[in-house]
Amino acid sequence: TFHGRVLDAMPTNYVNFKGAADLRMRLICATLGGRALRIDDIRVNDQNPGVRDYEASLLRLLDKLTNGMKVEINETGTTLKYKPGIVTGGRRISHDCGTARAIGYFLEVVIPICLFAKKPVDLTLTGITNDETDVSVDTIRTVTLPMIKRQFGVDDGLALTIVKRGVAPGGAGEINIKLPIAKELKNVDWTDEGMVKRVRGVAFTLRVSPQTGNRLVDASRGVLNDFLPDVYIFTDHHPGDAKNGQRNKTSPGFGLSLVAETTSGCLLSVDCASTSGSAAKEAGHSIWQVDENSGSSSDEDSDDYSQESGSDDDEEEEEDEEGSDEDE
């Protein structure tokens, strides 16, 4: 009050945008810059207009990592008002990412924000660890975090642990990430890509035969060894939760994540995950068949490096038997 009168609240100066494109980047910039954000016309021409469930889940995660955040969404979900809070961070924070998008979708927002938090972050996320839409947790662990260590000097406790894997549609994966505070920022020069000198990777299998991982490795090495000899891909087999009586809660699947290190220190990664009806050999080869027209123009899409295949293991075995009969 002032002289017996109640003063109206100061009007909020919003930064206005339209459409759902680049929503995550807008939230990152608004949070780090302390600017209020308003987004109108979110999927107004879509059959299901408004904010998606995974985007609302991302806002709930930001609420756990900050203090004083305010979000307003209209009844149709097509207008979003976002007032960022102070990034406090903290330990023992957990969040369920759901099954609409993978954990990598959320980590791409968490990492740049939490590096500037007031306290180090110890975060546990559950959901899908590997799919064909978002960046995998393996790429975050083997590419993103090492580049942060090397370029920004953030090395005190920076780590990502894959507790258990989860694939669509069931999810049920779990990771733990620890992010210290970035004390300074350095200039980054990534104009020189360099030449590839070594390739490392991991082929994971979940509730499928361990031989599937070996087929992924053999198919990938069959392509890579024609170009360079320093190739090492290890297998990571997870039997699932069958021992705990929760077999139906874990979906079966397999996938491959490769990282190429260049002479200039750059790290290049590519991911491939199983789809319905895909075989391990085709998945190993399809990781190199990059669609040049797969660039995304909105925040909902990301680069897709794998293609579906309609053949399975049984059909391949039948073809091998037919070929042997003809030889005889």
Side-chain angles (χ1 to χ4, degrees):
T1 61
F2 183 74
H3 292 299
R5 294 181 299 174
V6 178
L7 297 179
D8 295 334
M10 292 289 294
T12 304
N13 186 16
Y14 289 99
V15 180
N16 297 313
F17 292 96
K18 287 187 178 181
D22 301 323
L23 175 63
R24 291 183 297 171
M25 184 58 64
R26 293 170 180 175
L27 291 175
I28 293 173
C29 295
T31 303
L32 296 179
R35 299 292 303 274
L37 181 69
R38 174 170 178 159
I39 304 176
D40 298 312
D41 300 338
I42 301 177
R43 303 184 183 91
V44 289
N45 297 324
D46 197 89
Q47 294 182 354
N48 185 20
V51 178
R52 296 285 188 259
D53 292 338
Y54 57 85
E55 294 171 340
S57 178
L58 176 60
L59 292 172
R60 290 192 295 269
L61 176 58
L62 289 177
D63 186 34
K64 296 178 181 179
L65 298 172
T66 59
N67 184 19
M69 188 192 82
K70 295 182 180 180
V71 176
E72 295 181 11
I73 303 176
N74 64 349
E75 295 180 357
T76 59
T78 56
T79 299
L80 168 66
K81 293 181 181 180
Y82 174 74
K83 295 181 182 179
I86 300 175
V87 185
T88 56
R91 301 186 182 277
R92 298 180 181 179
I93 303 174
S94 61
H95 181 74
D96 184 7
C97 300
T99 57
R101 298 296 290 263
I103 294 176
Y105 173 87
F106 298 84
L107 285 178
E108 288 179 328
V109 178
V110 170
I111 293 175
I113 289 179
C114 291
L115 288 176
F116 302 95
K118 290 187 174 295
K119 298 179 181 179
V121 175
D122 187 350
L123 176 64
T124 300
L125 298 176
T126 58
I128 298 175
T129 58
N130 302 80
D131 69 352
E132 290 193 329
T133 303
D134 300 302
V135 61
S136 70
V137 294
D138 297 284
T139 296
I140 298 291
R141 179 177 57 87
T142 58
V143 177
T144 305
L145 298 189
M147 297 306 291
I148 292 176
K149 291 181 181 179
R150 186 180 307 172
Q151 300 296 337
F152 299 107
V154 182
D155 194 11
D156 187 14
L158 181 65
L160 188 149
T161 304
I162 303 174
V163 180
K164 57 181 179 179
R165 294 187 181 271
V167 296
E174 181 180 343
I175 65 101
N176 177 264
I177 185 169
K178 296 180 180 179
L179 297 170
I181 301 172
K183 299 180 180 179
E184 62 178 351
L185 295 179
K186 300 179 181 179
N187 295 331
V188 179
D189 183 7
W190 281 339
T191 57
D192 183 14
E193 187 175 275
M195 303 293 291
V196 176
K197 63 179 181 180
R198 67 171 63 95
V199 174
R200 299 292 182 265
V202 54
F204 77 90
T205 53
L206 176 63
R207 278 191 60 195
V208 296
S209 173
Q211 295 299 324
T212 304
N214 297 332
R215 297 186 64 190
L216 286 169
V217 174
D218 294 339
S220 300
R221 290 182 62 91
V223 177
L224 290 170
N225 286 139
D226 293 337
F227 301 95
L228 72 165
D230 193 359
V231 178
Y232 182 75
I233 306 172
F234 68 93
T235 58
D236 182 19
H237 177 65
H238 292 258
D241 296 332
K243 295 181 179 180
N244 299 329
Q246 298 178 351
R247 185 176 181 86
N248 295 329
K249 294 185 178 181
T250 305
S251 299
F254 54 87
L256 180 67
S257 178
L258 299 179
V259 179
E261 184 179 353
T262 67
T263 54
S264 62
C266 290
L267 298 174
L268 310 174
S269 67
V270 63
D271 297 317
C272 177
S274 62
T275 58
S276 177
S278 62
K281 184 176 181 180
E282 284 71 21
H285 284 295
S286 67
I287 198 169
W288 307 105
Q289 301 173 358
V290 181
D291 186 1
E292 296 180 354
N293 298 324
S294 64
S296 61
S297 59
S298 67
D299 191 53
E300 297 179 342
D301 300 326
S302 62
D303 293 339
D304 189 1
Y305 293 97
S306 58
Q307 298 177 352
E308 294 186 1
S309 174
S311 63
D312 54 16
D313 299 346
D314 296 335
E315 293 177 352
E316 291 179 359
E317 294 178 357
E318 292 176 2
E319 292 177 359
D320 295 339
E321 293 177 357
E322 292 176 0
S324 61
D325 294 338
E326 292 177 359
D327 294 339
E328 293 177 358

